[in-house]
Amino acid sequence: TFYNRATQEKTAPGSTYKMLSSVAGLTEGVINGNSYISCSGVFDKITPSPKCWIYPSAHGSLNVVGALQHSCNDFFYEVGYRLGQDSNGNYDSDTGLEKLAKYAKMFGFGATSGLSELEYKPKISDNSAVMSAIGQGKNDYTPSQIARYATTLVNQKKCYNLNLVGKIKSSDGKKEKTNKAKVHNKVSIASTTWDAVYKGMYGVVNGSQSSISQYFKSLKEDGIQVAGKTGTAQENKSKPNHALFISFAPYNNPEICTTVVIP
């Protein structure tokens, strides 16, 4: 039997999930565009204390745009923590998970993508709001589901089901059938939130400290600017990590979205 990796391979989304956590944090009001959170390299508000990827170094103080650009774990640990806090500052992981799940469903992660009837069902994390906010926890999605999330980030107002065939024509060209994408659900997010997310994704690819800008040099020379987000997802310590990348282009008027998952 053949194994369709696009619809049947599930991994944690890793840092590609940080745009979703940004939207959740900004929309729920636990951060705003001017909120600066200090990264010390270790998040000590929960035990065991998770580390930022840059540890033993640290990112210092970042807002959401900078946190996306540098993929700061500490920043998003704090977002997950704040989503779980009540009005008295008491932290409850389940509260944070419920809020993250609301946005996960908004971006299509609550159902299969529509690409195939054989697609594996997604798993929205029900474990640790802090870890789930960086795309770990129990988050588990197929590349097709991550692709729908990526397109929803760009479409802004609607989350569509994916399809493979856009148009069918008869051999004589006289008959034609158009296969339009169906709307899965509508999305309502403030324009300032989208602006922050896009600026962060732009910085990932084009920032002065970008580790991947070299790969897009020829496109940039042709006048095409790409925005994106890298991700590294850990399954367990006995296996190598999964690598992910989502992107869209052209930056100012997107026409194409890509999702790459390397198990």
Side-chain angles (χ1 to χ4, degrees):
T1 56
F2 287 104
Y3 181 66
N4 190 325
R5 291 189 182 275
T7 59
Q8 296 180 317
E9 178 104 53
K10 290 204 295 184
T11 70
S15 292
T16 63
Y17 212 63
K18 287 174 179 173
M19 283 79 73
L20 188 155
S21 298
S22 299
V23 170
L26 291 163
T27 308
E28 294 294 321
V30 300
I31 57 167
N32 60 46
N34 294 315
S35 298
Y36 281 82
I37 294 172
S38 181
C39 166
S40 65
V42 180
F43 186 75
D44 60 8
K45 292 184 180 181
I46 63 169
T47 305
S49 299
K51 296 179 175 67
C52 187
W53 66 265
I54 202 170
Y55 178 85
S57 188
H59 285 112
S61 186
L62 296 170
N63 66 359
V64 67
V65 174
L68 284 171
Q69 178 176 340
H70 299 290
S71 202
C72 176
N73 287 352
D74 268 18
F75 184 97
F76 291 100
Y77 290 147
E78 177 67 21
V79 170
Y81 188 85
R82 291 184 185 183
L83 288 170
Q85 286 183 300
D86 62 19
S87 57
N88 295 318
N90 298 311
Y91 171 69
D92 176 56
S93 180
D94 288 344
T95 300
L97 287 166
E98 285 175 16
K99 290 177 183 175
L100 284 169
K102 179 172 82 172
Y103 293 91
K105 290 172 184 174
M106 188 184 291
F107 283 102
F109 283 130
T112 53
S113 72
L115 197 60
S116 167
E117 291 181 2
L118 301 176
E119 182 175 308
Y120 288 175
K121 290 182 180 180
K123 168 68 175 175
I124 296 174
S125 181
D126 56 4
N127 177 260
S128 179
V130 167
M131 297 306 296
S132 297
I134 67 158
Q136 292 284 167
K138 294 279 184 71
N139 285 309
D140 209 17
Y141 309 119
T142 63
S144 53
Q145 290 150 16
I146 295 170
R148 176 163 66 177
Y149 156 62
T151 62
T152 306
L153 282 169
V154 179
N155 285 322
Q156 293 191 9
K157 294 181 179 180
K158 292 176 182 177
C159 172
Y160 291 94
N161 282 346
L162 303 185
N163 59 40
L164 278 175
V165 180
K167 190 180 289 184
I168 301 170
K169 275 188 176 183
S170 60
S171 58
D172 58 9
K174 292 180 179 179
K175 291 182 180 180
E176 184 177 293
K177 180 184 178 183
T178 301
N179 187 21
K180 289 187 177 179
K182 294 178 181 178
V183 176
H184 177 65
N185 60 259
K186 293 184 178 179
V187 177
S188 181
I189 299 295
S191 60
T192 51
T193 295
W194 290 125
D195 289 345
V197 167
Y198 295 157
K199 285 177 183 175
M201 293 179 74
Y202 181 85
V204 170
V205 178
N206 302 282
S208 59
Q209 295 178 320
S210 171
S211 62
I212 60 171
S213 61
Q214 58 184 312
Y215 304 117
F216 298 92
K217 187 178 178 182
S218 61
L219 281 173
K220 203 168 185 178
E221 288 171 351
D222 290 338
I224 301 170
Q225 292 182 314
V226 178
K229 185 73 192 78
T230 53
T232 304
Q234 187 180 71
E235 187 171 333
N236 60 55
K237 291 182 179 179
S238 67
K239 290 186 177 182
N241 294 332
H242 309 295
L244 302 94
F245 184 66
I246 63 176
S247 64
F248 65 88
Y251 177 68
N252 291 319
N253 188 22
E255 294 179 19
I256 189 167
C257 221
T258 65
T259 296
V260 180
V261 180
I262 304 174

